[in-house]
Amino acid sequence: AQTVTQSQPEMSVQEAETVTLSCTYDTSESDYYLFWYKQPPSRQMILVIRQEAYKQQNATENRFSVNFQKAAKSFSLKISDSQLGDAAMYFCAYRSPTQGGSEKLVFGKGTKLTVNP
Amino acid sequence: EPEVTQTPSHQVTQMGQEVILRCVPISNHLYFYWYRQILGQKVEFLVSFYNNEISEKSEIFDDQFSVERPDGSNFTLKIRSTKLEDSAMYFCASRGREAFFGQGTRLTVV
């Protein structure tokens, strides 16, 4: 079974600075998807960024980018120019493209990000 | 922008009572999910639903749980006889290219 590990329970960053959240995963599959979800205090799960394992290029969405290292099974999230609204729990998630209609997400335990003004 | 809608946002129920959590997925999505998050813990998969049947369920999803899509739009999770440990945030998700989550239902069992 796949597992996702987020080794940083909490991180903090100064407003306008850059922060990197770590994620590692364990899988024997070669094709899969990785995601970062943001959960603000409202507790809604919001998709931040997606990476397909077959793509070598790292995904980027505005101030959010990933460093995907397939051989190391590492998938970190970089937030540039941090804003107060970035404060949230961040969950790394794995999805395998299995046939048959499930393709559930497997989540890490999350990293709580605090942004200091 | 299409979104997944869950009702109610918060439900308080007595132990042993039945609860039904409701979800309206994004209309052109075909895959539907329920996840659970106990306060302070990670999000856990409960069940996936495709083509009007369960495609996968976790060990959490025992005989007390059931899902159905009664009218082709709503997607419901029923807990037959709630226990204190069922208190959690329950998220519905539907998937096209990516999974989109509803805002969650906070279930409190007293």
Side-chain angles (χ1 to χ4, degrees):
Chain A
Q2 293 82 17
T3 58
V4 177
T5 301
Q6 293 178 250
S7 59
Q8 307 152 315
E10 296 188 28
M11 291 281 285
S12 62
V13 63
Q14 290 296 125
E15 197 175 2
E17 297 294 307
T18 295
V19 65
T20 298
L21 309 184
S22 301
C23 173
T24 59
Y25 56 94
D26 187 28
T27 184
S28 58
E29 297 173 319
S30 59
D31 192 19
Y32 47 87
Y33 303 91
L34 296 163
F35 305 86
W36 280 97
Y37 281 86
K38 170 185 177 181
Q39 187 180 46
S42 66
R43 296 192 73 184
Q44 181 156 12
M45 297 289 287
I46 302 165
L47 178 64
V48 175
I49 200 164
R50 158 197 173 111
Q51 175 79 44
E52 291 93 336
Y54 65 86
K55 289 187 178 178
Q56 291 188 333
Q57 186 173 8
N58 289 322
T60 299
E61 288 288 341
N62 301 314
R63 298 183 294 107
F64 298 86
S65 61
V66 298
N67 183 4
F68 173 49
Q69 302 289 326
K70 191 173 183 179
K73 296 179 183 174
S74 169
F75 182 60
S76 59
L77 175 70
K78 186 171 83 170
I79 306 173
S80 304
D81 186 25
S82 298
Q83 300 175 359
L84 295 178
D86 295 334
M89 282 291 284
Y90 286 82
F91 291 96
C92 179
Y94 172 103
R95 190 184 99 204
S96 61
T98 55
Q99 299 299 318
S102 179
E103 299 191 32
K104 64 181 185 285
L105 289 166
V106 177
F107 288 88
K109 290 187 175 181
T111 296
K112 181 180 179 181
L113 177 67
T114 301
V115 180
N116 300 309
Chain B
E1 184 176 304
E3 60 179 14
V4 177
T5 306
Q6 289 185 243
T7 53
S9 56
H10 189 191
Q11 173 133 13
V12 181
T13 188
Q14 288 203 324
M15 192 169 55
Q17 294 297 303
E18 174 184 284
V19 296
I20 298 176
L21 310 183
R22 292 183 166 81
C23 169
V24 179
I26 294 172
S27 61
N28 61 346
H29 286 180
L30 299 177
Y31 303 89
F32 313 112
Y33 306 84
W34 284 101
Y35 291 83
R36 180 179 83 173
Q37 185 184 31
I38 294 172
L39 185 63
Q41 299 188 23
K42 68 176 178 180
V43 179
E44 301 173 290
F45 167 76
L46 289 178
V47 65
S48 59
F49 193 84
Y50 170 73
N51 200 26
N52 284 321
E53 60 182 24
I54 291 173
S55 50
E56 185 177 353
K57 58 184 180 179
S58 72
E59 61 273 12
I60 302 169
F61 195 88
D62 61 21
D63 291 345
Q64 293 300 312
F65 291 87
S66 62
V67 290
E68 63 176 2
R69 199 159 183 242
D71 56 9
S73 60
N74 291 290
F75 178 51
T76 61
L77 174 70
K78 181 193 291 186
I79 309 175
R80 257 180 279 282
S81 177
T82 49
K83 303 189 271 287
L84 294 176
E85 53 264 38
D86 293 328
S87 294
M89 197 78 166
Y90 288 81
F91 291 102
C92 172
S94 70
R95 184 172 66 81
R97 187 168 175 255
E98 294 113 3
F100 290 90
F101 285 76
Q103 77 277 25
T105 293
R106 184 189 302 270
L107 177 65
T108 303
V109 183
V110 297

